[in-house]
Amino acid sequence: PNKVRTAAIALAKDEGVVRAQVRTTMTALLIQVQDKVMTDLGVMHQPEARSANWDDGDNARCYRGGATEVEQGFKPANASDPNSCDSNGLSLAEVAEQPVWGIDCWTRRNVTSVIEAEFSPEIAVEFVEKWLLPAINACPVELAHNMAAAARILEGLEPSQLQETQHSDSLSQEAD
């Protein structure tokens, strides 16, 4: 009993141990609160969102019937409802998974600084958030690293033409 008490006192004096115990307790409480809220909101009883990118062999399953039907793979009675499934009874896609690109904070700051030289800071932020970032995300994967491709999209041009232009430019430079 004396050794246990001595060890407990030593651990209580160690700030790192106390911090770890508090952090562990707070994490456990947070998980319990999240679980309670999700249960109360019925999150697990919502139908699964269908991705346009899924190619996992369950194309004939309709996901609009609720949790039981999702788990068991049954088609609900209202599968012919045009809002839930297509004419073949297949689930309609609700989301599409795609690579998302962006710019680092240094590049973002440089772009906004250049724009702010001519326009207000609000216009610079709006351009980056509402125009440039969506244009970068619209680029094909192989061109998403190149901001010139996003600029071409903003001009209404095809970003794929960028590769052809760069390739022909490099060939003409090699010939010189």
Side-chain angles (χ1 to χ4, degrees):
N2 201 11
K3 287 184 180 181
V4 173
R5 187 170 195 274
T6 305
I9 291 172
L11 288 174
K13 290 181 180 178
D14 185 353
E15 204 173 293
V17 171
V18 173
R19 186 178 302 119
Q21 289 173 335
V22 169
R23 182 175 288 143
T24 301
T25 303
M26 292 303 295
T27 301
L29 288 172
L30 179 63
I31 290 170
Q32 290 173 2
V33 168
Q34 288 173 337
D35 190 40
K36 172 81 170 117
V37 169
M38 295 295 194
T39 300
D40 289 349
L41 293 175
V43 171
M44 294 305 292
H45 297 289
Q46 300 297 320
E48 185 175 5
R50 180 81 180 146
S51 172
N53 304 85
W54 286 354
D55 185 20
D56 55 0
D58 68 348
N59 295 332
R61 190 191 319 176
C62 184
Y63 286 82
R64 298 287 192 178
T68 303
E69 288 79 9
V70 170
E71 290 172 10
Q72 297 175 2
F74 297 128
K75 288 190 179 193
N78 66 347
S80 61
D81 179 1
N83 294 326
S84 64
C85 298
D86 68 11
S87 61
N88 298 323
L90 301 178
S91 296
L92 299 175
E94 297 176 289
V95 296
E97 300 169 45
Q98 69 179 45
V100 177
W101 307 97
I103 54 177
D104 60 84
C105 58
W106 179 257
T107 304
R108 183 185 185 110
R109 183 66 205 137
N110 286 337
V111 169
T112 55
S113 293
V114 168
I115 295 171
E116 288 172 2
E118 298 282 329
F119 302 98
S120 70
E122 293 81 20
I123 290 175
V125 169
E126 181 179 347
F127 173 78
V128 170
E129 291 178 1
K130 292 186 178 180
W131 294 95
L132 182 59
L133 291 175
I136 291 171
N137 284 318
C139 289
V141 174
E142 63 274 2
L143 294 175
H145 68 283
N146 191 339
M147 203 177 295
R152 291 187 58 80
I153 289 174
L154 290 172
E155 293 174 28
L157 303 171
E158 288 291 324
S160 60
Q161 294 172 349
L162 180 67
Q163 281 182 322
E164 296 163 9
T165 306
Q166 288 178 340
H167 182 67
S168 62
D169 288 347
S170 64
L171 289 177
S172 63
Q173 288 175 355
E174 288 175 12
D176 294 338

